[in-house]
Amino acid sequence: MFESAELGHKIDKATYERSVPALREALLNAQYDLAAAARFPVIIVIGGVDGAGKGETVNLLNEWMDPRHIHTHAFPEPSEEERERPRMWRFWRALPPKGKIGMLFGAWHTEPIFKRVMREIRSADLNAEINQIVRFERMLTDEGALLIKLWFHLSKTRQHKRLKALEKDPRTRWRVTDTDWARFKLYDRFRAVSEYYLRHTSSGEAPWTVIEGEDARYRSLTVGRLLLASLRERLQRKTPAQSSSNAPALLPAVDRREVLGSLDLSKRLSKRKFDSDLEKWQGRLNLLSRDPKFKRMSVTILFEGPDASGKGGAIRRITGALDARQYQGITIAAPTEEERAQPYLWRFWRHLPRRGRFTIYDRSWYGRVLVERVEGLCAERDWMRAYSEINDFEEQLVLHRTVLAKFWLQIDKEEQLKRFKAREKTSFKRFKITAEDWRNREKWDTYQIAANEMIERTSTSPAPWTLIESNDKFYARITVLKTLVQRIEAVIDSKAKR
Amino acid sequence: MFESAELGHKIDKATYERSVPALREALLNAQYDLAAAARFPVIIVIGGVDGAGKGETVNLLNEWMDPRHIHTHAFPEPSEEERERPRMWRFWRALPPKGKIGMLFGAWHTEPIFKRVMREIRSADLNAEINQIVRFERMLTDEGALLIKLWFHLSKTRQHKRLKALEKDPRTRWRVTDTDWARFKLYDRFRAVSEYYLRHTSSGEAPWTVIEGEDARYRSLTVGRLLLASLRERLQRKTPAQSSSNAPALLPAVDRREVLGSLDLSKRLSKRKFDSDLEKWQGRLNLLSRDPKFKRMSVTILFEGPDASGKGGAIRRITGALDARQYQGITIAAPTEEERAQPYLWRFWRHLPRRGRFTIYDRSWYGRVLVERVEGLCAERDWMRAYSEINDFEEQLVLHRTVLAKFWLQIDKEEQLKRFKAREKTSFKRFKITAEDWRNREKWDTYQIAANEMIERTSTSPAPWTLIESNDKFYARITVLKTLVQRIEAVIDSKAKR
């Protein structure tokens, strides 16, 4: 894979200086067209051998192009803030919006390759990382991103020569450290692991391109022209690729049995029992939130369910037990302009809490497979892939010691009608009922189909759904609190055992 | 993920009997439309819990539909013939051609799940298998296959009841063995591993569908309707999905340096040296082929290069050293009708040799990224993904103890002209030169670009390309033989060390 990048590619100064002005102009024009159309983001992933010109290339592109439309990110050792979130969080934060170019200098590939070279992880663990990365990159290209992965390479001989040359020159001697020589000793191993990684993360949609790093003029012209050709080709294309899906049909409803329909909505709790239970479970929740072990985990709670199913009320019973500085409540409405310019899950990644905190969602990332599906706001192939993207996302949260509690509050159609009418009668609740609520109600059955499918495809062992019979608010609220307390206790106890 | 499949779905007899005739008719019609259009294959993968009706469903579909257009395959313990090939070989053989339905009863998922449940492999190894399977299934859907993955499920309680009921009835008691009870004890573990597998191999294009297995009528109607809806939806679609690619541009040629152009074609060998070297290397090759350790490996050799670069001559110098019963020579021409109805690599999988044998390809699977790319016989997105598909394929060969020797014979344009003219003058060689050869010659540069790109993307550590300077036939032939001998020796020696 590195054959072409060990040939000693070279461009003479005259050719270079003759070529650059036109290239720069064309790149700038393409960049403005990209920004004007704002149809897709460009993600340039930069990896490779030390000293092969990664940093110089990043600087050069920033110089050649309009830096207002380029975001450059480097990923040194993770900060404390970053270590408190799943590993991919820092990369999600760095994704460029549609119309912009993001240069990721040492992206998600760096840590797995480095750790494997240093034998900190086993080859099988590297495979698990690769699996996750392949799915992540597929999500990016499915979202329409132009993903350009550049690997800067130097042969062993040239790497050796380069270090020697830097050492010889008094002006650059300081740049060569013992670490550099120690890493050079690992050259062969680094090359083998990188080749394995490149091979297993290359696909038709997101191939790696290997570039010889030695000659600055060759390297710069190559990267510039590659970027230009990729931009031009994608800008010319009118329709985004892959508008239809090869997926089979969804499970047909053959009998009338379905998960939500099978809930026993007659479950009830008396006011007296509610009051005593509320005190008990809120007390336990509060104790847990102050447990020293809680500092090493976090809790994400989300609520879905029909309008007027009692999501707000249940949330208030949780927050009532917590210190206001310890939780964040998030209500999900239509995405903002900034959010629409990013992959679907981006707006949820951005809100991920640090450790020791609660985040409570009133509606959530499941909007994709509920309202967006039912209202036709996104194509079938997009919501179909959302199930696995969501499962991957939630798995990462849970692996990062997040208790993820997903509550579906189920009421029946009659109960909803009763509550709608009651809201209309109570002046201070009237704002809670709108024409849209009545419209949604007409699509009750379609929403239930989507909800059943969602539960089926996203109730997983790391992140199960809890379905709450909610015709009775007392019963629903206590069940939510109790489930939450038990889920947190299970994790705190399991930590203790370790 | 199994929520809906634990509800006790049921269809009463009357409803069932009322629904079946129309469903069968519609299925038959869809099946004939599928066969008539012959645009895509249908692959039904069947997995799940023991006793959840997998076998019955397969039988039923065969009864309902026209069995001439359905191929059913079960995969018990691999045969000796199968164990001598890479693990995926038996599944490639079972793929249905376009226009047909293939039912794979316990497909590629069975072994990884089972081995993990029995703790024969680690969780990280399961991830490596999953990675491979995800890439394989993506290839299938990229090729346009309608991939329907059905998982038949039974809750633990129902599984228990079922075994008890079978034991109680004297007519079915024989069906319940100690193995069944032993496996039942592993139910929870099986469920957990299966859920993990299903979750990580579900994607928007190839999702798993979980079906409750207890009630035969429910199960049958569900599968029938799901299949019908999937067929109808795909048959109605005019154009295949995904005709364009989201890939970035290819590496531009910035200087004139390229891998093939950098070869020193002046390398020569005298006739005398050739004669003595030929004897030496052929002798060593023959000895190797009779080494007892050779029985546990196999050798695949392929030749690519411009017309008249000497592929045939080099091949004859190899076969001259071998027992005719020990090798198979394969010349790759345009695919047959049968081969065109399958994924691209199918025709190469079918020829994979058993152990202890040589297979020599005169042109190979690389046609996809050479002639098919240059002549525009396949879309860019298809040859772009071929690089990784080929790398995956070759990795499987090598992991299965195949020495894979890939030779590119390089000559220059002048040498080709000389050879063309010589062929035209020699009557017994005249058949070797056609108008097509002259036409290909006009595209010399385009072919060289494609070849350079191919070498760059598919020369990997398990399966490197060997580039042979072939202006001098003596030099080329000896280098091929020598390389081959050394590659085989390396593997035989490495085995000995273990």
Side-chain angles (χ1 to χ4, degrees), chain B residues 23-33 64-66 228:
Chain B
L23 176 60
R24 287 182 67 166
E25 197 189 328
L27 273 173
L28 272 172
N29 284 336
Q31 206 188 355
Y32 292 136
D33 291 349
W64 278 1
M65 297 171 86
D66 183 339
L228 178 64

Side-chain angles (χ1 to χ4, degrees), chain B residues 253-389:
Chain B
V254 159
D255 61 2
R256 283 159 187 282
R257 232 166 277 249
E258 23 95 356
V259 178
L260 291 176
S262 324
L263 295 176
D264 173 11
L265 296 183
S266 69
K267 286 184 180 169
R268 258 160 192 52
L269 218 59
S270 69
K271 176 76 169 81
R272 237 186 72 199
K273 182 88 170 92
F274 171 72
D275 287 339
S276 70
D277 278 8
L278 184 67
E279 204 183 315
K280 170 178 154 195
W281 293 110
Q282 283 194 331
R284 273 171 78 167
L285 180 59
N286 182 266
L287 267 181
L288 285 171
S289 76
R290 292 186 285 122
D291 189 308
K293 282 177 235 140
F294 188 76
K295 285 202 183 65
R296 282 180 287 133
M297 55 186 282
S298 47
V299 177
T300 297
I301 308 164
L302 67 86
F303 286 89
E304 295 282 356
D307 292 325
S309 56
K311 297 185 285 293
I315 289 173
R316 281 192 300 278
R317 293 332 177 269
I318 295 172
T319 56
L322 301 176
D323 178 335
R325 287 162 300 181
Q326 210 184 3
Y327 72 83
Q328 189 191 5
I330 296 171
T331 303
I332 295 299
T336 64
E337 197 187 338
E338 192 188 358
E339 290 167 343
R340 283 196 307 272
Q342 292 283 1
Y344 177 66
L345 285 171
W346 186 83
R347 61 188 176 125
F348 306 103
W349 274 96
R350 74 191 297 202
H351 291 305
L352 286 194
R354 306 184 68 151
R355 291 216 165 119
R357 293 180 61 86
F358 286 78
T359 314
I360 307 167
Y361 286 90
D362 187 348
R363 304 206 185 276
S364 67
W365 41 89
Y366 284 99
R368 188 74 158 194
V369 296
L370 294 171
V371 55
E372 291 191 38
R373 166 183 172 176
V374 172
E375 305 294 339
L377 301 175
C378 91
E380 178 170 335
R381 65 162 284 129
D382 291 325
W383 58 258
M384 268 304 290
R385 67 183 161 86
Y387 297 118
S388 7
E389 289 169 9

Side-chain angles (χ1 to χ4, degrees), chain B residues 5 27 31 49 55 129 140 143 170 193 242 245 253 273-274 323 326 353 371 419 448 450 452 490:
Chain B
L27 273 173
Q31 206 188 355
V49 173
E129 294 273 8
L140 291 177
E143 287 274 341
V193 174
Q242 307 185 327
S245 157
K273 182 88 170 92
F274 171 72
D323 178 335
Q326 210 184 3
V371 55
R419 293 188 186 180
Q448 292 287 305
N452 277 307

Side-chain angles (χ1 to χ4, degrees), chain A residues 434-446:
Chain A
T434 66
E436 205 191 321
D437 293 325
W438 288 104
R439 272 199 305 277
N440 287 345
R441 186 175 154 78
E442 279 165 32
K443 296 188 183 157
W444 179 277
D445 293 342
T446 328

Side-chain angles (χ1 to χ4, degrees), chain A residues 97-121:
Chain A
K98 288 172 188 164
K100 306 272 179 184
I101 299 174
M103 275 200 286
L104 309 190
F105 186 7
W108 38 86
H109 57 271
T110 314
E111 198 181 304
I113 293 178
F114 183 76
K115 284 196 171 168
R116 181 63 195 134
V117 170
M118 305 310 285
R119 299 186 201 271
E120 287 173 28
I121 58 174

Side-chain angles (χ1 to χ4, degrees), chain B residues 101-119:
Chain B
I101 299 175
M103 275 200 285
L104 309 189
F105 186 7
W108 39 85
H109 57 272
T110 314
E111 197 181 305
I113 293 178
F114 183 75
K115 284 196 171 167
R116 182 61 195 137
V117 171
M118 305 309 286
R119 299 185 201 274

Side-chain angles (χ1 to χ4, degrees), chain A residues 368-384:
Chain A
R368 188 74 157 193
V369 296
L370 294 171
V371 55
E372 291 192 37
R373 167 183 173 177
V374 172
E375 305 293 339
L377 302 175
C378 90
E380 178 170 336
R381 65 161 285 130
D382 291 326
W383 56 259
M384 268 304 290

